[in-house]
Amino acid sequence: MKYRSKIGAIWIISMITMIWLNIPLIEKAASNTTVFIVLLIMIPCDLYMLDLTFRTYYVLEKDHLFIRCGIGRPLKIPYKDIHTLKETHNPLASSALSLDRIDLVFKAQNGGNGEDEILISPVRKLEFIQQLLLKANHIKVLNNL
């Protein structure tokens, strides 16, 4: 099952602000070289944020959780490697577009030692957790989800 990332108010405000700030720059770019250079930097950033908005999702596949976050390298976490999950509102950068998040702790991938964690924000959070627990009932839920 595929779950899109929930888009929070802070993300929406950021997107609107980004577009609003670019409008005056576009109008002045033809007559000012410095503004044109700033736009050359800003437009790729804008496109990256748009890509994150439309291509951040999570897929519960047969034997692993697939996490896509824009143009970044996707992450595949085998269910057997997921240890715990808990609800969080941690604002750290992550593959979540909302502060209504799930913190997944899992065995480090690609030969790494120890544990790693990732923050995700599926739209239907409780349904996502239920489906995840059906595929991997060994996962510990650490708070009231």
Side-chain angles (χ1 to χ4, degrees), residues 28-40:
K28 294 178 184 177
S31 63
N32 190 328
T33 307
T34 306
V35 174
F36 181 74
I37 291 169
V38 169
L39 271 177
L40 287 178

Side-chain angles (χ1 to χ4, degrees), residues 7-21 49 53 97:
I7 298 175
I10 292 174
W11 186 263
I12 292 169
I13 291 167
S14 299
M15 295 291 293
I16 291 169
T17 303
M18 176 185 69
I19 292 167
W20 180 70
L21 289 174
M49 286 188 68
T53 302
L97 306 178

Side-chain angles (χ1 to χ4, degrees), residues 78-136:
Y79 296 128
K80 64 181 176 56
D81 290 348
I82 301 173
H83 302 299
T84 61
L85 60 90
K86 67 179 178 180
E87 185 175 30
T88 185
H89 298 285
N90 188 334
L92 289 176
S94 69
S95 55
L97 306 178
S98 168
L99 291 178
D100 185 16
R101 299 173 169 187
I102 300 170
D103 182 358
L104 285 173
V105 177
F106 57 95
K107 180 180 175 236
Q109 304 295 300
N110 301 324
N113 293 326
E115 293 181 332
D116 205 350
E117 67 182 303
I118 190 164
L119 303 173
I120 62 173
S121 61
V123 172
R124 298 178 315 275
K125 185 168 66 173
L126 293 178
E127 179 186 322
F128 175 86
I129 292 168
Q130 290 171 346
Q131 292 299 316
L132 180 61
L133 292 175
L134 285 175
K135 293 185 178 287

